[in-house]
Amino acid sequence: MSTEPVAASAEEKQVAGEGTAMHEGSEDEKLQNARKQIEFYFADSNLPFDKFMWSLHTANAEHWVPIKTVSSFKRMREYVSNGHDWIVKALRTSEELEVDEASENVRRRTEVQQPKGQFERSIYAKGFGDENSDLQKKLEEFFNKYGETNAVRMRRVDGNKQFKGSVFVEFADMKSAQDFLNADPKPSWDGKELLIMSKEAYCDMKIKEKGLTGKTAEMRKDSIASRKGFNAFQEMQDEKKGKGQKGKDRPNPEVWLEFMGTKIRVQEEDGGSVKNENVPYIKGATMKFTGCGGDASFTEMKTPLRERFARVPYIQFSKGDDVGLVGFDKALTEDEIEYVKANLKTVNSNEVQWSIPEEEEEKQFQIDRANFAARSALSRSQDRKGGSSRGGRGGGRGGRGARGGGRGGRGGGRGGGRSGEKSQSAVTSEEQSGEKRKRAVEPDGGPDTGVRGQAIPTIAPSKKAKTDAAS
């Protein structure tokens, strides 16, 4: 299906480009512009990623959507004054949409198809200055000079929604994307040359800047490449996975984790994961250390931190690197930042420098934390579901690398006081398969764990005591 791109409202978070500013042109041009706008709302590039539009699309079995509802959207307001019949007239010229006999509803002529190659057809461009009221429309017109676009997305700062001065643009085909990237002279804005590259090159640049490798680098790239927010295809896939054996609907009990004050559902994909958009961003809850000389001892680092912080911080460090991150369960005060600097002056016998990471790095770090906590939560819930008093790996006796349950003895099981730390290390080593345990990740000291069927997951007091004893 070929969908002509047009601009959508800010609320829908998708914007497609228009070839020219035709709203001030002839009557035929106005009708064409209105038609294109509504076609975009129903397009493969927008409909399955717009939760409100999808709810309208699926509200009835025939997929009819009220024309009056669509006409009320922000980018349609300039046409509403022409009347309902005028908008119906515009829609009747569409090859992609159809209007019912009563001229009250509109729907697609074809089934929704999952878009392919969006990442490969997307580019990054920076240098657009500050935002003004008509910047979106100017951007659409600018990029459509190079080829047909499906979406022009203004990038914004989470929290205050301030425009970053950069955009991601999805072109309708690879040729248009390449024409833009290889344009001569190079694209410029207000007389200044833009910084441009493919979206893939942008991902690689950010990964290199952060010094990420292995699975963390892959997760970072997936985070940038994937579309954030609602995804109807993913929702439908999740529903299918909820089907029980023999065709009966038997959805598995849900696993939830409490992460930095927010309750998040654990997905079973990849052995336990969370959706990036569900992870809260807590600004200022992370500190970065530099100069450790390629090694770090979690035990030595956490000992002075326990004196000040109720929950043991989460430490992320790759052996051989000179830098690492420490995550806390809340935003740090100035006094707490100074405490860390004063009481953790050295790591691995080397004097380190402490700083606050950049926003994007901190966001990704918190996503990594949430995914690690999700894997641990799912693993524990599965152990509880299938374990016994003398289970195998992860069971009553704890099994290899996870002793500390079932049979007694000092520290709550065989393995003594260090059982809690070993259990978490086993989880980490399983995640690092093929990477020779390069990545060393210490689980949160807080209750970022989930239990099937429980509203608020908790960690057993005995396990917390063992973790403390280990350090």
Side-chain angles (χ1 to χ4, degrees):
M1 170 181 157
S2 174
T3 303
E4 295 179 78
V6 290
S9 65
E11 291 88 343
E12 287 130 10
K13 302 179 182 177
Q14 298 293 329
V15 184
E18 300 175 48
T20 56
M22 296 188 294
H23 62 285
E24 295 180 355
S26 68
E27 182 71 6
D28 287 343
E29 289 175 331
K30 290 180 180 178
L31 288 167
Q32 182 184 4
N33 228 24
R35 169 181 60 80
K36 287 183 176 181
Q37 184 65 58
I38 297 179
E39 283 178 337
F40 174 74
Y41 294 141
F42 286 87
D44 289 335
S45 60
N46 180 75
L47 176 61
F49 305 102
D50 184 321
K51 190 172 185 178
F52 181 66
M53 272 300 299
W54 187 256
S55 69
L56 295 175
H57 173 72
T58 57
N60 62 79
E62 299 298 322
H63 302 306
W64 289 111
V65 175
I67 295 174
K68 287 185 178 180
T69 301
V70 180
S71 300
S72 69
F73 293 166
K74 185 176 180 180
R75 294 297 290 269
M76 284 295 296
R77 291 174 187 170
E78 61 182 293
Y79 308 113
V80 174
S81 60
N82 295 315
H84 179 80
D85 291 342
W86 186 92
I87 293 176
V88 171
K89 180 181 178 181
L91 287 172
R92 289 199 184 280
T93 66
S94 176
E95 296 180 358
E96 301 178 20
L97 306 175
E98 59 183 343
V99 178
D100 66 1
E101 293 182 0
S103 299
E104 296 293 334
N105 300 287
V106 61
R107 70 179 179 185
R108 292 170 56 108
R109 294 180 184 271
T110 60
E111 294 293 329
V112 179
Q113 300 293 323
Q114 186 165 3
K116 297 180 180 179
Q118 290 177 298
F119 181 64
E120 291 76 11
R121 291 183 277 106
S122 297
I123 63 93
Y124 167 84
K126 181 178 181 180
F128 297 101
D130 297 329
E131 184 176 8
N132 53 52
S133 59
D134 61 348
L135 178 59
Q136 181 65 63
K137 185 166 292 186
K138 289 181 178 179
L139 288 170
E140 294 161 10
E141 296 170 0
F142 172 79
F143 285 103
N144 273 275
K145 294 176 182 177
Y146 296 91
E148 186 180 2
T149 60
N150 285 344
V152 178
R153 304 181 182 97
M154 297 172 63
R155 304 180 67 240
R156 300 183 181 278
V157 177
D158 288 344
N160 61 20
K161 301 300 181 182
Q162 181 181 356
F163 178 48
K164 292 183 175 182
S166 61
V167 298
F168 284 134
V169 181
E170 179 192 325
F171 283 95
D173 53 69
M174 279 297 299
K175 182 179 182 302
S176 297
Q178 291 300 318
D179 286 347
F180 174 78
L181 294 172
N182 298 323
D184 186 16
K186 291 186 177 181
S188 61
W189 185 265
D190 288 341
K192 297 181 180 179
E193 188 175 298
L194 294 171
L195 171 63
I196 63 172
M197 64 187 75
S198 67
K199 192 171 184 179
E200 183 174 16
Y202 173 80
C203 291
D204 293 339
M205 178 184 73
K206 286 298 178 181
I207 289 171
K208 186 175 180 180
E209 285 180 0
K210 308 302 180 185
L212 304 178
T213 58
K215 190 169 185 178
T216 305
E218 294 175 9
M219 291 175 63
R220 175 62 171 165
K221 190 167 187 176
D222 289 343
S223 174
I224 298 175
S226 61
R227 300 183 68 156
K228 297 180 180 179
F230 177 77
N231 185 326
F233 301 110
Q234 185 63 51
E235 295 286 328
M236 290 186 287
Q237 186 178 1
D238 290 345
E239 287 180 8
K240 289 181 180 179
K241 289 184 178 181
K243 300 289 184 180
Q245 295 179 351
K246 299 181 182 180
K248 297 181 179 180
D249 292 340
R250 296 184 200 164
N252 292 327
E254 296 177 348
V255 179
W256 295 79
L257 68 85
E258 186 80 13
F259 182 78
M260 299 185 77
T262 299
K263 184 181 174 184
I264 306 176
R265 181 183 174 183
V266 176
Q267 310 295 317
E268 296 199 10
E269 290 82 357
D270 301 322
S273 62
V274 296
K275 294 182 178 180
N276 291 356
E277 61 268 23
N278 292 337
V279 179
Y281 170 51
I282 309 299
K283 186 176 182 179
T286 308
M287 292 191 69
K288 183 176 184 178
F289 61 90
T290 307
C292 63
D295 202 358
S297 167
F298 292 144
T299 302
E300 292 178 2
M301 293 182 67
K302 288 162 65 173
T303 298
L305 297 179
R306 282 201 179 92
E307 299 296 324
R308 179 66 180 263
F309 300 98
R311 292 183 180 178
V312 181
Y314 174 105
I315 304 173
Q316 188 180 72
F317 171 77
S318 296
K319 191 172 182 63
D321 287 353
D322 200 39
V323 62
L325 295 167
V326 181
F328 300 82
D329 67 323
K330 65 180 183 63
L332 299 176
T333 64
E334 290 295 331
D335 288 345
E336 288 170 333
I337 292 174
E338 291 304 317
Y339 176 88
V340 174
K341 292 180 178 179
N343 290 273
L344 255 181
K345 294 181 178 180
T346 62
V347 175
N348 188 33
S349 300
N350 293 306
E351 186 172 345
V352 295
Q353 299 296 319
W354 288 95
S355 61
I356 304 299
E358 294 181 2
E359 182 175 307
E360 288 192 12
E361 184 177 16
E362 184 172 33
K363 284 181 182 177
Q364 186 58 44
F365 173 57
Q366 291 178 3
I367 290 173
D368 292 344
R369 290 179 60 182
N371 276 295
F372 182 80
R375 289 190 291 271
S376 300
L378 184 63
S379 175
R380 274 189 283 270
S381 70
Q382 291 172 340
D383 288 346
R384 291 189 182 96
K385 182 178 179 181
S388 64
S389 61
R390 290 176 60 90
R393 293 189 184 187
R397 289 176 60 181
R400 192 177 303 172
R403 299 181 182 181
R407 298 179 66 170
R410 287 187 296 179
R414 297 180 65 178
R418 300 186 64 85
S419 59
E421 185 178 29
K422 289 184 180 180
S423 174
Q424 300 297 347
S425 298
V427 174
T428 303
S429 64
E430 291 171 3
E431 297 162 10
Q432 298 164 0
S433 178
E435 296 186 34
K436 297 183 180 179
R437 302 186 64 180
K438 178 183 178 182
R439 189 169 185 76
V441 183
E442 182 81 353
D444 270 347
D448 296 338
T449 59
V451 181
R452 291 183 185 271
Q454 290 192 7
I456 302 179
T458 59
I459 229 177
S462 60
K463 289 190 176 183
K464 186 176 187 300
K466 293 169 193 171
T467 304
D468 291 345
S471 297

